[in-house]
Amino acid sequence: MYLFLIKFQQVSHYQERTEKDCLNCGTIVEGLYCHKCGQENVVPKETFWGLLTHFVYDITHFDGKFFSTVKYLVSKPGFLSLEFIKGRRASYLHPIRMYVFTSAFFFVIFFTLYNAKTLVPSEKEKNTQQREKLLAAKENLQENFSTGLDSSERIASSKVILDLDRELAILDKKRGSLTEEPMIEYDSAKAEGLNFGKTSLNYKSVLAYKRMQLELPKDKRDGWIKKAFMTRILAAVEAGEKQGERAFVTGFINNLMHSFPKMLFVSLPLFALLLHLLYGRRKDLLYSDHAVFTIHLYCATFILLLWIFGLEYLYDISGWLIVEIVRLVSVFGIFHYLYKGMRRFYGQSRGKTIAKFLLLNMLSFFMMVLLLTIFTMISASQISPDGSH
């Protein structure tokens, strides 16, 4: 069977050349592949059928590696990282390719489920949501009212129903006066005013900031980095005044959410550095080995988060309590995965692993808070006066 698979793979590739010089580097080839550059010694021209079968082989070969890698990645934390540093790599997907694939798939799902418009509802949407809650409460009270309540409970329920009716009337009146996106009056004369405070954050507009910079001596003016940052921040403030609170907040959250892939990518080498510092006495491990472990950890986290998103969606449509319990357990499962991975990959005792696990989580928390702060400031500065980003 093994020989048949080898033969099938060779047949599914291009036709082998009779000449033995590699077309890529000129090396004399002994066999089907060049031992110097790895290129197949095959005829450059190929039929459509040969091209199609080669494509199918590459896809199924990738799928086979991907699913076997995912199986070990999820079920045996730290195992793939150990395999990689031991040189056993041919049977599994490369960590970098695994990260690119899983992160891309994760963020496609993430941005589909969560976006700025759903996280920041308009006044009309808030009104509608509040009205639905009041109606549900009223229907529930009316249902209980007709089923076996004593006189005192009936009186109390009838008063609550009247209160709910008043609230609904107020909401309906407010709903009729709401536009889809209320705008805030923008006072351009006020925005152009100067406020010569002690700090540059007291400026009310980009124009005011630029005027003040021109008035200052050259040695007192802000550097180009601070000037660029202040210009973007003040432009964002003006955008908020022009568009209204929701439009500004929506643009800010949209920018911040789309910064998450970059933030995670930046955090990856920093997390690996924390591991390198915690296990500094392990001279047999290089920084790149810690990076491989971190990449596998991030890939597994993406997969576990997708599982959690799926459970959350299932709970929303079913309301089953068991689904919510499994979801909460899965959240803690991410931390359990990290502990088991550290235990297997680094091979230390349970006590040392727990101590380093707690320290790693504490340090990584501060690291993520710092990165979130930096990317939040960048997101705010990237909102232009016209509301685009």
Side-chain angles (χ1 to χ4, degrees):
M1 183 65 181
Y2 177 71
L3 293 175
F4 171 77
L5 288 174
I6 294 176
K7 184 64 177 176
F8 174 76
Q9 291 177 10
Q10 290 178 347
V11 171
S12 66
H13 284 64
Y14 301 159
Q15 181 183 351
E16 186 176 356
R17 294 172 63 237
T18 55
E19 298 85 356
K20 295 301 180 182
D21 58 316
C22 176
L23 292 175
N24 184 57
C25 64
T27 304
I28 300 302
V29 179
E30 296 180 2
L32 183 60
Y33 296 92
C34 174
H35 64 275
K36 186 174 182 181
C37 68
Q39 178 169 295
E40 284 184 279
N41 186 33
V42 294
V43 177
K45 305 287 185 179
E46 189 185 15
T47 63
F48 175 76
W49 176 251
L51 185 66
L52 181 62
T53 53
H54 192 265
F55 170 75
V56 171
Y57 167 75
D58 285 341
I59 293 297
T60 55
H61 183 62
F62 173 81
D63 285 348
K65 275 192 174 185
F66 174 76
F67 289 116
S68 63
T69 303
V70 168
K71 181 182 73 172
Y72 288 113
L73 181 70
V74 175
S75 63
K76 301 180 72 173
F79 172 77
L80 287 178
S81 303
L82 275 177
E83 291 285 280
F84 188 87
I85 66 173
K86 289 177 180 178
R88 295 194 282 266
R89 306 174 182 180
S91 301
Y92 314 108
L93 205 60
H94 193 277
I96 299 295
R97 293 183 67 188
M98 188 69 184
Y99 179 84
V100 171
F101 184 83
T102 54
S103 63
F105 187 73
F106 170 79
F107 282 110
V108 166
I109 301 299
F110 178 78
F111 291 130
T112 301
L113 296 175
Y114 305 100
N115 55 71
K117 289 185 178 180
T118 58
L119 293 175
V120 188
S122 65
E123 288 299 319
K124 192 172 183 179
E125 291 168 339
K126 289 179 183 177
N127 183 285
T128 302
Q129 292 171 3
Q130 182 66 15
R131 193 173 187 278
E132 289 175 354
K133 290 178 181 178
L134 290 174
L135 283 173
K138 180 182 175 182
E139 289 174 3
N140 185 55
L141 281 171
Q142 288 175 333
E143 213 175 292
N144 293 331
F145 190 83
S146 59
T147 57
L149 294 178
D150 58 34
S151 58
S152 61
E153 288 175 334
R154 284 176 178 273
I155 293 172
S157 295
S158 61
K159 288 181 179 179
V160 174
I161 290 174
L162 286 174
D163 290 338
L164 289 174
D165 283 334
R166 292 192 194 98
E167 289 290 332
L168 284 168
I170 293 170
L171 283 175
D172 287 339
K173 185 178 179 181
K174 184 179 179 182
R175 189 181 186 187
S177 63
L178 282 175
T179 58
E180 184 62 31
E181 208 50 70
M183 301 296 287
I184 293 178
E185 193 78 24
Y186 182 67
D187 188 351
S188 58
K190 179 182 177 183
E192 291 180 5
L194 292 174
N195 186 339
F196 302 107
K198 294 182 179 180
T199 66
S200 55
L201 291 176
N202 288 332
Y203 298 110
K204 296 181 180 178
S205 69
V206 175
L207 181 59
Y209 175 70
K210 289 183 176 179
R211 284 179 179 175
M212 185 58 185
Q213 288 296 303
L214 290 174
E215 294 292 329
L216 292 171
K218 288 186 176 181
D219 60 334
K220 300 292 184 181
R221 296 175 186 174
D222 293 338
W224 68 271
I225 295 178
K226 186 177 180 181
K227 189 183 295 183
F229 186 75
M230 282 300 305
T231 301
R232 301 298 293 182
I233 287 289
L234 291 169
V237 173
E238 289 185 74
E241 292 182 357
K242 284 182 180 179
Q243 304 162 51
E245 181 182 354
R246 180 177 181 263
F248 175 71
V249 173
T250 300
F252 165 72
I253 292 179
N254 188 57
N255 274 346
L256 182 60
M257 289 181 67
H258 282 83
S259 298
F260 286 169
K262 302 173 190 174
M263 186 170 69
L264 285 176
F265 187 76
V266 171
S267 72
L268 197 152
L270 296 177
F271 192 91
L273 179 61
L274 293 178
L275 286 170
H276 186 62
L277 294 174
L278 285 174
Y279 292 95
R281 294 184 178 181
R282 291 287 303 271
K283 303 303 180 184
D284 58 318
L285 294 176
L286 303 175
Y287 172 77
S288 57
D289 298 328
H290 301 292
V292 168
F293 177 80
T294 304
I295 292 172
H296 283 140
L297 172 66
Y298 276 41
C299 292
T301 303
F302 289 141
I303 295 171
L304 288 171
L305 285 175
L306 288 174
W307 164 255
I308 292 170
F309 293 162
L311 290 173
E312 185 177 6
Y313 177 76
L314 182 59
Y315 177 73
D316 288 340
I317 62 176
S318 67
W320 297 337
L321 181 60
I322 185 64
V323 176
E324 182 66 5
I325 294 173
V326 172
R327 188 181 71 86
L328 292 174
V329 171
S330 299
V331 172
F332 289 102
I334 295 175
F335 296 96
H336 181 259
Y337 183 94
L338 172 59
Y339 165 75
K340 295 294 289 185
M342 292 172 65
R343 185 97 161 85
R344 177 177 280 117
F345 183 72
Y346 294 104
Q348 291 191 335
S349 65
R350 186 175 285 103
K352 286 184 177 180
T353 303
I354 290 175
K356 291 184 178 181
F357 167 81
L358 295 174
L359 185 57
L360 177 64
N361 277 280
M362 183 178 65
L363 293 174
S364 61
F365 172 78
F366 288 114
M367 176 193 73
M368 295 306 294
V369 168
L370 177 61
L371 288 177
L372 183 60
T373 303
I374 293 171
F375 277 90
T376 299
M377 295 173 67
I378 293 173
S379 298
S381 69
Q382 286 177 341
I383 303 178
S384 62
D386 61 357
S388 61
H389 55 277

